[in-house]
Amino acid sequence: MSVVQADITTLGVDAIVNAANETLLGGGGVDGAIHRAAGPGLLEECRALGGCPTGQARITGGHRLPARFVIHTVGPVWQGGAAGEPLLLASCYRSALALAAEHGLDTLAFSAISTGVYGYPAPQAAVVAVDTVSGFLEASPLPRHVVFCCFSGPSADLHREALAALAFQVPDRAP
Ligand code: AR6
């Protein structure tokens, strides 16, 4: 796992993960940037998918992006934290990782799902992201590399801190 501060539409990875909405028909934020960079073929492919429930993920081609695929996931809208948001956010990461593994993908870059328009507090979201990805990678050979692609410096710092905190966790298995 690594952290980069970048525009996710510039990354030449196997797949980038989009923070979409349930319609999968585009929007603002990273979703808008991905659709603009990918071109109209992406919207056409998304239309055929018929939407995606919160916490799940769908895969499309990358069209004009340097990434070969886009995995679209729908994060929870933050409602205070007692409406299942952490479980739904973790499910987004796991669903995207499972699709990447199914498609034999090596390198996957995540945007910080739900932390923009959907209002999920960025520090808590970074911990869910890093812990969930770490747990998945322990049990699965693919993907081999996961990049947390952060748009801002503070977001990148939060993901680096969450990664550093992993190193201090006591393993829950007996040696
Ligand atoms: N590259 C990487 N990260 C980005 C980029 C980019 N080009 N642009 C924004 N971010 P958001 P959400 C970061 O709002 O909260 C859309 O309208 C941004 O700084 O894009 O899951 C959808 O259609 C933030 O940290 O997604 C939905 O309706 C993170 O991406 C809704 O917004 C996510 O912010 C989804 O909201």
Side-chain angles (χ1 to χ4, degrees):
M1 289 180 281
S2 59
V3 178
V4 296
Q5 187 185 345
D7 173 350
I8 202 166
T9 64
T10 65
L11 300 184
V13 290
D14 290 324
I16 59 173
V17 183
N18 182 20
N21 59 61
E22 288 190 340
T23 70
L24 297 184
L25 298 180
V30 70
D31 196 11
I34 288 172
H35 275 272
R36 272 193 303 279
L42 179 61
L43 182 58
E44 206 174 301
E45 196 181 352
C46 283
R47 269 208 191 96
L49 295 175
C52 176
T54 300
Q56 295 188 23
R58 301 287 185 267
I59 190 165
T60 65
H63 298 268
R64 295 178 191 159
L65 290 163
R68 289 165 57 215
F69 296 94
V70 180
I71 295 177
H72 308 262
T73 190
V74 183
V77 176
W78 182 256
Q79 295 173 63
E85 296 94 327
L87 287 177
L88 286 166
L89 187 61
S91 170
C92 288
Y93 282 91
R94 270 196 303 274
S95 304
L97 288 158
L99 273 179
E102 253 174 56
H103 285 77
L105 307 186
D106 251 359
T107 317
L108 182 63
F110 278 98
S111 55
I113 313 297
S114 282
T115 63
V117 175
Y118 281 180
Y120 205 116
Q124 288 155 250
V127 171
V128 171
V130 167
D131 285 1
T132 307
V133 172
S134 166
F136 189 95
L137 296 185
E138 270 181 28
S140 172
L142 287 176
R144 286 195 305 165
H145 300 289
V146 170
V147 178
F148 296 100
C149 177
C150 301
F151 211 37
S152 71
S155 173
D157 288 342
L158 288 170
H159 287 80
R160 285 193 195 101
E161 283 163 25
L163 277 176
L166 272 184
F168 293 100
Q169 283 179 13
V170 178
D172 56 10
R173 297 181 295 273

